Amino acid sequence: MTDPACQRWIDDPDANRAHLSDCDDCRQRASRLERLDRDLAATMPEASGSIAALVADRLPVAPWEGARHRAWALAGIVLAAAFLIAAAGFFLVGIPPIEGFRETARGLLRAREVGFVVTSSLGELLRNAPRAFHVAVAVAFVVVNALLLLLLRRGPRGYDVDPR
């Protein structure tokens, strides 16, 4: 369907209805679509009046909806495997695994102390920042939140719009 006339018919079938008298391929497609419309209208329950409900009831369950997989068991297995690999690494290097884990924990505590020093220094810098910086941060906060509020309050666009 690279013919421009066919593309115009696909884009707007009602406005380009005359194209069907010239093109066999498009005529076959139109008759197939009309047949599908009739079949769908015949099977659609009149009480609900919703094609989406009819189609959704016939779809298979998505893999994540009926899944029995629990991620925490996998996370625990990965954590245990990481500890075993680390213990094996300590053992291969000649360090007892308990001593290796103890030294690793001490290093993490020292890193945590360094983190406290860095964050307190950063806090001190922010406290001593000029007033213009504080005003700019407050204005940026209000602007970003106003934009988020506008986006949340706007009407739906795209696939979630009901054509009625």
Side-chain angles (χ1 to χ4, degrees):
M1 285 224 160
T2 57
D3 185 21
C6 293
Q7 189 61 43
R8 280 193 301 274
W9 176 77
I10 289 172
D11 291 340
D12 191 3
D14 294 331
N16 298 299
R17 199 80 171 145
H19 172 70
L20 294 179
S21 62
D22 300 334
C23 182
D24 290 333
D25 189 36
C26 292
R27 189 174 30 248
Q28 289 174 356
R29 289 176 192 262
S31 67
R32 196 173 325 139
L33 286 173
E34 288 171 2
R35 199 169 344 119
L36 286 172
D37 280 344
R38 281 193 308 272
D39 292 347
L40 185 60
T43 60
M44 187 175 85
E46 296 300 323
S48 71
S50 170
I51 295 174
L54 174 72
V55 172
D57 290 341
R58 294 183 181 183
L59 289 175
V61 175
W64 59 86
E65 290 175 338
R68 298 283 181 235
H69 175 71
R70 300 290 180 253
W72 287 112
L74 178 63
I77 291 169
V78 168
L79 184 64
F83 272 109
L84 287 175
I85 291 170
F90 287 137
F91 184 75
L92 289 175
V93 174
I95 302 171
I98 298 295
E99 187 62 34
F101 287 124
R102 187 177 301 135
E103 285 301 316
T104 302
R106 284 187 190 133
L108 288 175
L109 287 175
R110 282 191 292 270
R112 186 173 178 211
E113 291 169 3
V114 170
F116 283 138
V117 170
V118 168
T119 54
S120 65
S121 300
L122 184 61
E124 199 60 39
L125 282 173
L126 288 174
R127 251 183 256 120
N128 295 330
R131 184 176 296 270
F133 177 77
H134 291 287
V135 170
V137 168
V139 168
F141 176 81
V142 170
V143 167
V144 166
N145 281 293
L147 286 173
L148 288 174
L149 183 65
L150 286 172
L151 287 172
L152 287 171
R153 294 183 56 94
R154 74 175 178 87
R157 304 268 193 276
Y159 70 90
D160 55 349
V161 174
D162 193 35
R164 289 183 235 163

